[in-house]
């Protein structure tokens, strides 16, 4: 039931994004995405186990919360209106992931699986913030669509995540390892 609730919330986020784009005159269909890789490639990396889902939630959804926090009070009023709900949902998803990781780590096998998969999902989560030298990053801040640079947001994310991972008994992966950008 918890996973179904999570998926319902994520589907709602997709619908919100669809409506925001439609209001701007952009009309997307499933065919627009068929066979294409996502720019934010976390959506191409489907979790293959409960451990991967927990890592996706704890790291990826937590990074999603950071992205949605940028929209709160942004200059585009429709996006600013939906942002608090998305932030709340993503915070819950990140906390769900941490709770599930804690449970998984209760067994030696679970702890070993988390340790094996953590570097992959850590790199994916860090890449969700975009390139540090992004050409659009400064423009988005000038337009009031976001407050922090990609790298500033990534560093705040790392600062929040580090004590959580250490609290589970893990070393924080190298933030440069396994990154695509």
């Amino acid at each position: 039931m918890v996973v179904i609730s999570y998926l319902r919330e994520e589907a709602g986020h997709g619908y919100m994004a669809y409506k925001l784009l439609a209001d701007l005159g952009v009309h997307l269909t499933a065919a627009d995405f068929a066979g294409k890789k996502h720019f934010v490639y976390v959506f191409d990396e489907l979790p293959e186990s409960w451990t991967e889902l927990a890592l996706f939630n704890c790291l990826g959804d937590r990074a999603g919360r950071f992205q949605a926090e940028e929209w709160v009070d942004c200059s585009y009023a429709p996006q600013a209106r939906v942002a608090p709900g998305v932030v709340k949902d993503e915070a819950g998803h990140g906390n769900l992931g941490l709770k599930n990781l804690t449970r998984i780590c209760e067994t030696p096998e679970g702890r070993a699986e988390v340790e094996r998969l953590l570097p992959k999902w850590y790199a994916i989560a860090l890449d969700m913030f975009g390139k540090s030298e992004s050409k659009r990053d400064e423009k988005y801040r000038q337009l009031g669509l976001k407050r922090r640079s990609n790298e500033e947001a990534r560093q705040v994310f790392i600062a929040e995540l580090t004590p959580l991972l250490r609290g589970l008994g893990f070393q924080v992966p190298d933030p440069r390892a396994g990154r695509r950008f």
Side-chain angles (χ1 to χ4, degrees):
M1 292 306 295
V2 171
V3 172
I4 290 170
S5 177
Y6 159 74
L7 293 173
R8 181 189 55 75
E9 289 171 358
E10 291 295 358
H13 300 166
Y15 183 70
M16 283 182 230
Y18 171 81
K19 290 290 291 168
L20 288 170
L21 288 170
D23 290 346
L24 293 170
V26 178
H27 300 281
L28 300 173
T29 67
D32 294 313
F33 297 99
K36 296 179 183 170
K37 293 289 184 181
H38 295 87
F39 178 73
V40 180
Y41 69 92
V42 67
F43 301 115
D44 296 323
E45 298 288 336
L46 297 177
E48 295 182 9
S49 68
W50 288 111
T51 300
E52 282 199 288
L53 180 60
L55 285 162
F56 177 94
N57 292 151
C58 185
L59 282 70
D61 286 319
R62 187 174 307 278
R65 186 198 89 218
F66 272 75
Q67 300 300 327
E69 286 173 348
E70 293 295 311
W71 309 334
V72 174
D73 298 324
C74 77
S75 60
Y76 184 54
Q79 192 163 13
R81 278 195 293 277
V82 300
V86 176
V87 169
K88 180 179 180 257
D89 291 347
E90 295 300 341
H93 302 165
N95 290 336
L96 172 65
L98 181 61
K99 177 181 174 184
N100 288 336
L101 284 177
T102 301
R103 187 175 302 135
I104 290 166
C105 287
E106 290 174 355
T107 68
E109 299 82 14
R111 176 169 290 287
E113 186 177 19
V114 172
E115 191 161 17
R116 179 177 61 79
L117 293 167
L118 179 59
K120 169 190 171 180
W121 288 97
Y122 189 75
I124 290 170
L126 295 183
D127 278 349
M128 287 178 66
F129 291 92
K131 296 179 181 179
S132 296
E133 64 284 346
S134 166
K135 294 175 185 169
R136 293 179 290 224
D137 193 37
E138 178 62 30
K139 185 70 167 178
Y140 291 161
R141 285 183 282 140
Q142 289 172 355
L143 293 171
L145 297 172
K146 59 188 284 187
R147 297 171 303 219
R148 300 177 287 205
S149 71
N150 293 345
E151 189 58 29
E152 288 169 333
R154 185 179 2 264
Q155 291 307 314
V156 174
F157 172 79
I158 290 170
E160 178 179 307
L161 191 58
T162 294
L164 299 178
L165 294 176
R166 287 184 179 153
L168 289 171
F170 295 106
Q171 286 193 344
V172 179
D174 179 346
R176 296 172 307 260
R179 301 277 304 281
R180 295 190 189 174
F181 51 85

